[in-house]
Amino acid sequence: MKAFKFYRRYWAAIGGGLFVALAFFIGLWGQNLPDLQRFMVLMFMALLFHQFEEYIFPGGFPAAANIGLFGEKQDYGKYPLNEMSALTVNVFCAYPIYIAGIFCYQWIWYDIFIAYFTMAQFFMHCFKLNLALKSWYSPGCLSACTVMPIMGVWFLVYLAGNYTFPSYYWWAPICVFPVVAFLTILLPILSFRRRDTPYGFASHQADEFAVRHGIASLYRNTK
């Protein structure tokens, strides 16, 4: 249980270590991978980088999401998003989606879905969350505005120029996107939401300062 508790709090930092390991792997042996599979590894790396920005440096996404996306004004350090639901959404749900793409890279329709799933972070962070917080930045915004959309567009342009496949491969993933988003994001948050949850975030993630200044991991609440 102690190991799980540790992972529940520091999964994003561990994911940052995985990002570094994958960067070395791609740099040293990436040329041996099929192009589609290499793209899928890079998509997974983009996810890990994004999560590190949200939860580690600068961090503060938990409070930003609870205030900006769910309108919580009182228990935004633990409701409705808390440590358990964050772990479920980002690791138990998101990791399998991306890892499946790495091993099933021949399924082009699924690769396109992952590209759309990745690029959707741009609209969630750079429009919805920033507008809700009335801020030019929200935790995760930098990677969502740069790395993730660039990776997605680069991959889609590559596909269009090098592969031939049915036209529905382009639009079918869009149709299933709302269902997948509900099952992997909203449903876990709703399932674990409790105002008396024991899975509240650490103070440097939960304080509103993290939302206003976006440097949560540099701040410790001294009140």
Side-chain angles (χ1 to χ4, degrees):
M1 291 298 293
K2 288 184 178 180
F4 181 76
K5 181 179 179 181
F6 178 86
Y7 187 69
R8 189 181 68 232
R9 175 147 295 187
Y10 297 107
W11 60 267
I14 296 170
L18 178 57
F19 172 89
V20 173
L22 288 173
F24 275 102
F25 173 79
I26 285 292
L28 295 174
W29 299 289
Q31 68 276 11
N32 298 322
L33 298 178
D35 289 343
L36 293 181
Q37 190 174 41
R38 186 164 59 248
F39 268 112
M40 290 300 101
V41 174
L42 291 173
M43 290 282 188
F44 184 41
M45 291 174 63
L47 173 73
L48 296 172
F49 178 75
H50 177 64
Q51 292 173 341
F52 189 88
E53 182 191 357
E54 287 181 315
Y55 289 88
I56 303 300
F57 185 82
F61 179 75
N66 285 336
I67 294 172
L69 299 180
F70 298 102
E72 178 60 33
K73 293 180 170 47
Q74 180 178 350
D75 297 320
Y76 48 76
K78 60 180 180 179
Y79 184 87
L81 182 69
N82 55 52
E83 279 193 344
M84 184 62 77
S85 55
L87 174 66
T88 303
V89 169
N90 289 281
V91 177
F92 299 152
C93 291
Y95 277 26
I97 290 175
Y98 282 81
I99 292 173
I102 294 174
F103 290 99
C104 302
Y105 63 90
Q106 303 96 329
W107 299 354
I108 294 179
W109 61 269
Y110 189 73
D111 298 340
I112 293 175
F113 170 79
I114 290 179
Y116 290 162
F117 198 81
T118 301
M119 292 188 296
Q121 296 294 333
F122 173 82
F123 299 99
M124 196 279 280
H125 280 271
C126 303
F127 286 95
K128 185 173 179 59
L129 190 53
N130 281 2
L131 289 175
L133 296 174
K134 298 179 180 179
S135 172
W136 62 272
Y137 176 82
S138 61
C141 184
L142 178 62
S143 54
C145 289
T146 56
V147 177
M148 304 187 91
I150 289 174
M151 280 299 309
V153 171
W154 181 22
F155 176 67
L156 296 178
V157 170
Y158 172 82
L159 278 182
N162 293 276
Y163 289 85
T164 301
F165 44 83
S167 60
Y168 69 84
Y169 277 25
W170 293 111
W171 55 262
I174 298 177
C175 296
V176 302
F177 183 87
V179 177
V180 175
F182 173 78
L183 293 176
T184 62
I185 301 174
L186 188 58
L187 183 60
I189 294 175
L190 295 177
S191 299
F192 286 106
R193 63 174 178 171
R194 284 175 50 195
R195 290 194 182 275
D196 60 344
T197 181
Y199 305 122
F201 289 99
S203 61
H204 64 280
Q205 292 284 7
D207 200 283
E208 190 178 1
F209 185 97
V211 178
R212 293 184 284 111
H213 296 276
I215 51 175
S217 62
L218 302 181
Y219 172 75
R220 296 295 181 271
N221 192 345
T222 57
K223 295 181 182 178

